[in-house]
Amino acid sequence: MCLFTSTTARQRYARLRHYLHKHTQLWDGVVATLLICMAQLAIAGIDLMLDNHSVDFPPSILAMVAVFVVLSACGCVLPRLEEFYQKHLSRATNLLNRHMSIGFTIPFVMICRGPLADARTVGLVIACFVVQETPRTGFRGWLSRNPILVLCWFLTFTVGIPLRYAVHRDAPLATFLLFATWFTMLEVQRAVKSAEGFAPWIRITLTGSLNAVLWTSLVMMGYIYIDAAISDRALGKMLDTLQTKTTLSHLLLHSVNGGVDAEGNKLNVSMAAGDIAQSILNAGLVAWGLKLYEYRRQLLSRAGLTVLIVSSILAIGNVALGPLLTRAIGLGPASRNIAYTARSVTIAMGAPVMITMGGDASLNATMVVISGIIFQMGLGFGLGSWLERTIFSCFVTQQDATVNTSPEQPEEKPEAEAKTEPKASQAELLTVPVRRSFDLEAAQRTRTTAPAIASPAQGEGMNDPHTVAAGLTIGINSAAMGTAYLYEVGSEAAPYSALSMMALGVMTVGFASIMPLAEWVVASVGGTMP
């Protein structure tokens, strides 16, 4: 009987596995879910270790580095590890990267918690932000194509709303609404990109305007304000129902720590919509370790070393000079000046800096999120690829002019030998890796419409200066949000963006931890160390 049951179970498992492999997207979703769970386990373990040593550092970043180091070491002794990754994990990792940006919507919504005091302060904040940013420069039937989207909206109306107004449970409605809006905006963007009835410039404009992070955040803000008015609750209370700061890793630590945190306070074991989104974001950060492993040869080269050096220089510049510049412009008090020490560092790393130096954490988070959204929308509008093409075309024109005016003329080649030369011009050859930096679709169109140009192999051309510069620019300005966008479109600049984001954050935390430097910066803007 046991043998029969075991055989039957194995047969059912084999049929289920065959079904999942047949439906690739569903299988990728299952693997991505497993990656999320494994990432949360890694985060929980590292978080426990950090608590035991009283170290305040984002465990998701350390987990990302750990994944990269472990896989790189294992790859040296397991030659088929790369093949296993490409066959079983690559697509699921890309799927997780595509949806991890949902975690950025919650910090944007939390801007409602602490608005700035007056118009003059808002103007000065914007001026300081711009000054420090500049130098671093068919629709029919689409809903039915995504069953997850349909399910989210169905649960919103049939489960979320009844639970909210029958038993006063906020979390289900907020969670279903968050994911329903997120998937809807992604589908709308996809439909606009593939719509043939629009002119290209209209399609690009609409795609950039329909940024999923922005519109999902706005919908959740509207939900918070409307529900606060209906239930006669304060805005702060409503925001508390959206996020309890209890991620999946915290739930895993709950049983280990006996239900209390490092300070002995009782842990909250209830998860809200924002906590689920944050868990996905943290898992996505850990999954970047897989992508760093995928492009390890490029990162462990002179290009990767250049990214590390430039990011470190910018980090010391932010910590030492950022607050002084904003102070000179007239922004105050000191806590707002100090917020600019980590204005482009991901929130997870900026928080320890704000605690150490006494900065305005709300203003810092606001700048980080808005900067990320601006860069995401700008890339969606095609600004990055346009800028690269414009600058690069000028460079190629000047280079061609130099060659044409040179007194030395190359020897004439025989006619038979000249016929064997490729027809593609130098500009055409060099624009392929440039377009790959920001715009995957442009690179695909180039490969399709220009068969005379050889298609670059995976990872080939990643050390092209334009690709490295693109990743570095996005990583140091828009942190995780911009990096997530590059991974979403399959850009070869994405690993450099992740590396620069990580290096800038780590070095910012490191420089802010140097007490003589931190005390000098805080005193220079009229503040005092906490």
Side-chain angles (χ1 to χ4, degrees), residues 275-345:
D275 303 311
I276 298 175
Q278 185 66 41
S279 298
I280 296 176
L281 172 60
N282 291 339
L285 291 174
V286 177
W288 284 356
L290 297 173
K291 302 301 291 185
L292 294 178
Y293 164 75
E294 181 178 348
Y295 294 105
R296 61 196 179 279
R297 295 180 182 86
Q298 288 75 21
L299 296 178
L300 299 176
S301 64
R302 287 188 300 175
L305 179 61
T306 301
V307 170
L308 291 175
I309 294 174
V310 173
S311 300
S312 300
I313 295 174
L314 291 173
I316 185 63
N318 278 348
V319 173
L321 303 179
L324 300 181
L325 178 59
T326 59
R327 183 74 170 183
I329 293 176
L331 181 66
S335 60
R336 287 175 180 165
N337 300 124
I338 297 171
Y340 282 83
T341 58
R343 66 163 186 84
S344 56
V345 176

Side-chain angles (χ1 to χ4, degrees), residues 330-451:
L331 181 66
S335 60
R336 287 175 180 165
N337 300 124
I338 297 171
Y340 282 83
T341 58
R343 66 163 186 84
S344 56
V345 176
T346 185
I347 297 176
M349 290 188 177
V353 178
M354 296 299 101
I355 294 174
T356 300
M357 301 181 67
D360 189 333
S362 298
L363 176 59
N364 175 254
T366 300
M367 289 190 293
V368 171
V369 174
I370 292 180
S371 176
I373 290 180
I374 290 174
F375 265 82
Q376 276 200 356
M377 294 184 66
L379 295 175
F381 284 129
L383 180 61
S385 56
W386 173 83
L387 186 61
E388 280 190 307
R389 288 197 301 270
T390 302
I391 296 176
F392 192 70
S393 62
C394 296
F395 169 76
V396 172
T397 302
Q398 293 176 0
Q399 189 179 45
D400 290 342
T402 303
V403 173
N404 292 334
T405 58
S406 174
E408 298 181 1
Q409 298 292 335
E411 298 180 359
E412 295 185 0
K413 296 182 179 180
E415 182 178 355
E417 186 179 348
K419 291 182 179 179
T420 62
E421 293 289 332
K423 297 181 180 180
S425 66
Q426 182 185 14
E428 290 175 325
L429 287 170
L430 292 178
T431 50
V432 175
V434 172
R435 289 175 179 172
R436 288 168 67 97
S437 298
F438 281 115
D439 191 353
L440 180 63
E441 295 178 2
Q444 292 173 340
R445 288 195 299 270
T446 303
R447 291 194 293 269
T448 303
T449 58

Side-chain angles (χ1 to χ4, degrees), residues 118-143:
D118 52 79
R120 179 180 179 276
T121 302
V122 173
L124 286 174
V125 167
I126 294 175
C128 295
F129 182 84
V130 172
V131 167
Q132 294 201 36
E133 193 77 20
T134 302
R136 297 190 293 182
T137 357
F139 291 90
R140 293 183 180 179
W142 59 268
L143 279 172

